[in-house]
């Protein structure tokens, strides 16, 4: 019996050596350890072994069964490892990787970040207000009478409850003054909405950058200095600008700001509206605050509103405002 166990052990070693696939290993397991396997059959003969030899033969048989189990497992792992190595045999780590596409900041956002940084340098902080506004904040408090064309249903998106989508960011001026006493030095960038025909220079949603500076001695000279500083930061020192008299209900005097930049064009381009805050605006703020903090006899201020999309188009040479919302990667990736 001992002899048979020895032979079986040798035979198993030979079989194992010649088995190089997981299937042949499985066959080997069945052949040795399965129901009709060599080891199983041999175990059944244990009852014929004389009692004094049983412990020795039994232990030898158990040892062989365990060895076979261990060897089969080991060989399976070796085969799997070899297969994995073969799979990577042709892998060339020196090849360039697959390009990983990454997004970029939208040109309007890039420009806004620059504009905010420029105004921060001269002490302006950021303010914001809701895009769904009341008529009071968007028009009444800004000295815009009920029959003003801007309030027309054809120009403004009204909600059923009488509120509206703000037609400009100037409404934030009122909110800031209601909530804070002077002095004020804020910019308020954000979207605004008008029922415009959509074309190369108009969208129903566009972006503005509002500014407001209020204090005891704020003058038109301060307004001009601030605007000139900002334009030089954005367009470079050779930018020219002119203040063209204009009309806005909420400022007096009022101007439109045109710029001309040699790198861009010889033409004057309209970029913003501005002016000295109208006393009627301060009165409306006083009334709603219930105090005289913004008494127009002691307080002055200037305000301005830039069209951010137009600024972007001028600065970046974008011919059609619709490109800013089409999400065409060929366009957007030029600004990454
Ligand atoms: N709100 C004006 C517009 O949308 C722009 C503007 C003009 C803003 C003069 C101002 C200002 O703050 O003082 O056309």
């Amino acid at each position: 019996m001992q002899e048979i166990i020895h032979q079986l052990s040798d035979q198993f070693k030979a079989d194992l050596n010649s088995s190089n696939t997981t299937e042949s290993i499985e066959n080997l397991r069945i052949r040795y350890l399965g129901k009709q396997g060599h080891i199983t059959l041999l175990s059944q003969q244990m009852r014929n072994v004389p009692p004094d030899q049983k412990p020795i033969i039994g232990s030898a048989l158990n040892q062989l069964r365990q060895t076979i189990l261990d060897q089969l497992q080991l060989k399976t792992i070796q085969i799997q490892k070899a297969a994995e190595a073969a799979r990577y045999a042709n892998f060339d780590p020196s090849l360039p990787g697959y390009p990983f596409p990454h997004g970029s900041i939208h040109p309007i956002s890039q420009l806004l970040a620059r504009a905010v940084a420029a105004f921060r340098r001269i002490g302006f902080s950021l303010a914001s207000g809701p895009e769904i506004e009341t008529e009071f904040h968007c028009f009444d408090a800004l000295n815009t009478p009920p029959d003003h064309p801007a309030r027309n249903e054809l120009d403004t998106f009204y909600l059923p409850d009488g509120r509206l989508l703000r037609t400009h960011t100037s409404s934030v001026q009122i909110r800031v003054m209601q909530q804070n006493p002077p002095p004020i030095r804020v910019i308020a960038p954000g979207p605004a909405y008008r029922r415009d025909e959509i074309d190369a220079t108009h969208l129903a949603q566009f972006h503005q950058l509002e500014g407001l500076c209020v204090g005891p001695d704020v003058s038109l000279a301060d307004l001009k200095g601030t605007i000139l500083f900002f334009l030089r930061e954005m367009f470079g020192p050779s930018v020219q600008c002119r203040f063209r008299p204009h009309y806005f209900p909420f400022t007096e005097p009022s101007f439109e700001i045109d710029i001309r930049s040699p790198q861009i064009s010889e033409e004057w381009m309209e970029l913003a509206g501005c002016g000295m805050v109208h006393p009627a605006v301060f009165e409306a703020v006083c009334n709603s605050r219930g105090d005289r903090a913004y008494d127009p006899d002691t307080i002055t201020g200037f305000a301005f509103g830039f069209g951010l999309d137009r600024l972007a188009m001028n600065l970046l040479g974008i011919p059609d405002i619709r490109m800013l919302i089409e999400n065409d990667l060929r366009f957007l990736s030029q600004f990454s």
Side-chain angles (χ1 to χ4, degrees), residues 167-168 170 173 194 208 210-211 248 250-251 255 273-275 303-305:
T167 57
H168 53 185
S170 302
Q173 291 184 30
R194 283 181 204 168
Q208 291 191 328
E210 193 76 18
F248 295 106
F250 34 89
T251 42
F255 307 91
C274 69
F304 55 84

Side-chain angles (χ1 to χ4, degrees), residues 190-304:
Y193 303 84
R194 283 181 204 168
R195 296 181 71 156
D196 278 328
E197 282 294 331
I198 291 176
D199 62 23
T201 51
H202 294 89
L203 287 175
Q205 189 210 46
F206 54 100
H207 299 85
Q208 291 191 328
L209 178 88
E210 193 76 18
L212 176 69
C213 174
V214 181
D217 274 318
V218 175
S219 72
L220 186 53
D222 296 324
L223 168 61
K224 288 185 122 177
T226 302
I227 297 295
L228 199 56
F229 169 82
F230 172 63
L231 292 176
R232 284 181 177 155
E233 287 284 297
M234 300 302 284
F235 289 89
S238 55
V239 66
Q240 292 174 298
C241 94
R242 71 180 181 195
F243 285 63
R244 187 164 34 77
H246 197 74
Y247 173 79
F248 295 106
F250 34 89
T251 42
E252 180 59 32
S254 304
F255 307 91
E256 279 193 330
I257 302 166
D258 299 333
I259 66 144
R260 186 159 67 173
S261 177
Q263 299 102 311
I264 298 174
S265 143
E266 282 303 303
E267 300 280 303
W268 286 98
M269 292 175 291
E270 180 209 322
L271 216 54
C274 69
M276 300 304 292
V277 178
H278 197 293
V281 173
F282 285 140
E283 282 298 346
V285 169
C286 284
N287 282 342
S288 88
R289 287 175 57 97
D291 66 17
R292 298 301 296 162
Y294 285 89
D295 185 345
D297 287 339
T298 55
I299 284 288
T300 50
F302 66 75
F304 55 84

Side-chain angles (χ1 to χ4, degrees), residues 126-140:
L126 268 178
S128 67
E131 290 167 42
I132 296 177
E133 261 300 3
T134 64
E135 285 202 81
F136 174 76
H137 290 94
C138 201
F139 296 126
D140 295 316

